Structure formats: structure tokens, C-alpha cells
Amino acid sequence: MLKIHFTGQDLTRIRVLDAPDPLWETMLSLHLLQDRAVNPLFSHWQRETRAGLDRSSGMLATLAPPIGYSADFLTPGAGFTDIESGIDAILETPKDRLREETALLAQARPLSSWNSDLAEARPPALRQLGTAMRRYFDGALAPHWASIKNAIGGDAAARGRALLGGGVERLLSTLNPGIRWRSPVLEVDYPVEQEMHLEGRGLTLVPSFFCWRTPVTLLDPSLPPVLAYPVGRSFGWEAPIVTRSLENLLGRTRASVLCAIGAATLISTNDLAKALGISAAGASQHATVLREAGVIGTERRSGAALHSVTELGSALLSSPSAEIGNREVC
């Protein structure tokens, strides 16, 4: 069991994220991806993702095993809005912390020479980590980011209603069946015994799409207190946003960008980035390629770039190759 001890000051410093954190979703989805138990809600996603991964995902798996300790440096905070800013924070992890957390991982299983290089913050290993995280996010999460975002937004709204209707105690009492509020302690069903004393620092609650079985927190008590917990999902969430033919033509992330633009009358680069969980620079780059191909147009209003599909883009999205059965996917 995990016991989180609150002071009166901590009760006024509870923060609930209202959007998915790409780093927490990356780490927790890695746990689920390595879990061989049959999970009807995620089985399609697991099969599709495993089939599309390259060898770099194996590096990430050594840092986030499905059971036991996962490196805290993979989630250096909570509330990142895009994967690039999160990766930047990870790559700035102090060497001492990399060493300590790699040593904790090594207690459970042998590690590779790459892990040793990462523990010493050697630039090639850090670059490989950043590349592996980008590839994994683009392949496993970005195509489903709209579904993930909707589920977490719905949970955040429910937390807000609980707070308004019954205050902090109702908020803490209704997070998850495995979480119980026994003032001044929040008790969490957990695979190990752990105590967390907030001591006025407050607590960030991270609703997570890929959190499974039990809520998750960090091991290091000196880090900002955080608790990730599962949100509700529905069957069918994993229905592909784009088909293989469209992915093969454009690439998975770029196809998702085109779908997102096609779903809106006009969408700004920043809103496009938020919708897909990518950086604004990445969204701009994908939009540039699509614009040069003639499938989207871009106009500027008050300094903002606004994108819309062209007739060619609409024809591409509505073609038989962009459908699942009789249902258009974008």
C-alpha cells in the first residue's frame, strides 16, 4: 500500500492535469506493451504497436520494465504539453541521478552497455534515448492522441464536478476504486509498501489513459509529489485514425496531421500540435510538407498560421483507401 500524508497546506495545493502528459503516457504504455496478459481494451493496440516498433523501443523497455521499478527520470515532471519539451527535460537529467536510477534498475536485471553509457550521460547514448522516445511516441501514441486526450479531458471534468460538489475530500475519495481518503492520509492500493509525506509541497494528480492495474508514483521522495491514476476508457478507442494505405503514402504522424486538419474548418499550428501531442515546430514541418504537396492550404490571420484541406486533400481523405468498411476515418 502507498500512503500519502497530507497537511492542511497540501489540501490547498492539489493540481489535476486536464490534458495527457506525453511522458507519463509513454512510460505507462511501455508497461502495458510488455504485459503479455490478455487485455481486451488494449489488445488491438498492443498487436498493432508491437508490429510497428523498431529496435530502439528495446532501449526504452530496459528503463520501464512492466514490473518493479521504472526510472524516475523518464517522468521529470507533470504537465508537459508535447513530447519534444518532455524529451528536452529528460536529456537535462543530472549525471548523478542517471547513475543512481540506472543502478536501481540493475538490481533487478542485467543491463546493456547502452544503459551504462546513459548512466554516464554520454552524448551518443542521450541522443539515442531522445530518438527512441520520438519514434515510440510517433508510432504508438500520436495516432491515438485524440482518443487519449478526450478520455483525460472527460476525467478532468469529472474531477472538477467532484471538487465543486463536495470539496477536496470528495475529489480525493472519487479518484479510483483503489484509492481511499482517510483524512489526513490518501491510501492507494500499491504493489509495495511506500510512504509519501507531502510536507506542504502539494500533490499533482495525473489522469492517465495507459495506467493499468494500480496508480503509479515516483520512488524518489525528493521529487515533486505526483500520482498517476487510470481513467475510464471505452471499447473501440483504438480504432485506427488512418488506414495502412494512407499511412504508407504519408507516414503515420503526417497522415494523422492531415486527418486533424480535415476534421476542422481552420486549425492553427499550435492547436494542431496540442491535438496530436507533438511540438509546434513538428506540426509546422508536417504542415509545410502537406502544403507543398497541395493537400492543405495555409493562411495567416493576426500572425497565426491557419490550415485547411484543399480539394485534393478532401479527395484523399474521402477516397476508399481512407475508409474502414463504410466509415470514413477522418
Side-chain angles (χ1 to χ4, degrees), residues 274-298:
K274 291 176 183 177
L276 297 175
I278 59 178
S279 67
S284 178
Q285 182 181 25
H286 288 303
T288 297
V289 173
L290 294 173
R291 183 170 59 254
E292 291 174 348
V295 295
I296 72 165
T298 301

Side-chain angles (χ1 to χ4, degrees), residues 51-74:
L53 291 179
D54 60 27
R55 294 180 60 184
S56 67
S57 62
M59 299 177 182
L60 302 181
T62 65
L63 303 176
I67 298 174
Y69 174 71
S70 291
D72 284 344
F73 66 74
L74 289 177

Side-chain angles (χ1 to χ4, degrees), residues 79 208 221 237-238:
S208 170
W237 71 267
E238 75 283 13

Side-chain angles (χ1 to χ4, degrees), residues 61-296:
T62 65
L63 303 176
I67 298 174
Y69 174 71
S70 291
D72 284 344
F73 66 74
L74 289 177
T75 49
F80 288 100
T81 58
D82 63 84
I83 190 64
E84 287 299 329
S85 59
I87 291 173
D88 288 345
I90 290 174
L91 299 186
E92 293 173 359
T93 304
K95 184 188 294 187
D96 288 348
R97 185 174 165 196
L98 290 173
R99 285 176 176 169
E100 291 171 4
E101 296 185 15
T102 302
L104 286 173
L105 290 167
Q107 292 176 6
R109 59 191 59 80
L111 298 179
S112 68
S113 59
W114 175 79
N115 293 95
S116 299
D117 290 341
L118 183 63
E120 295 301 318
R122 295 193 172 106
L126 290 171
R127 286 195 296 271
Q128 287 178 319
L129 175 59
T131 298
M133 293 197 69
R134 289 185 191 95
R135 287 178 178 171
Y136 178 82
F137 184 89
D138 285 348
L141 302 184
H144 306 289
W145 202 246
S147 295
I148 295 167
K149 188 174 181 180
N150 286 340
I152 289 174
D155 182 87
R159 299 310 126 225
R161 290 192 295 270
L163 182 63
L164 290 173
V168 173
E169 291 195 351
R170 181 174 294 182
L171 168 66
L172 295 175
S173 298
T174 58
L175 287 173
N176 184 267
I179 301 176
R180 296 165 297 279
W181 173 245
R182 304 187 191 281
S183 182
V185 178
L186 192 66
E187 297 180 349
V188 182
D189 292 341
Y190 211 60
V192 297
E193 294 295 322
Q194 186 172 336
E195 304 272 341
M196 181 191 299
H197 294 270
L198 300 180
E199 298 175 332
R201 295 175 295 168
L203 178 68
T204 297
L205 297 169
V206 181
S208 170
F209 193 86
F210 285 98
C211 188
W212 192 250
R213 299 187 191 279
T214 66
V216 178
T217 190
L218 303 173
L219 180 64
D220 189 344
S222 69
L223 296 174
V226 62
L227 181 69
Y229 64 91
V231 300
R233 312 85 162 174
S234 59
F235 283 99
W237 71 267
E238 75 283 13
I241 296 176
V242 292
T243 58
R244 288 289 184 193
S245 56
L246 197 55
E247 286 180 6
N248 291 338
L249 178 65
L250 300 176
R252 176 173 280 192
T253 300
R254 194 161 293 153
S256 297
V257 169
L258 179 59
C259 284
I261 295 172
T265 303
L266 284 173
I267 186 170
S268 70
T269 302
N270 285 339
D271 287 341
L272 183 61
K274 291 176 183 177
L276 297 175
I278 59 178
S279 67
S284 178
Q285 182 181 25
H286 288 303
T288 297
V289 173
L290 294 173
R291 183 170 59 254
E292 291 174 348
V295 295
I296 72 165

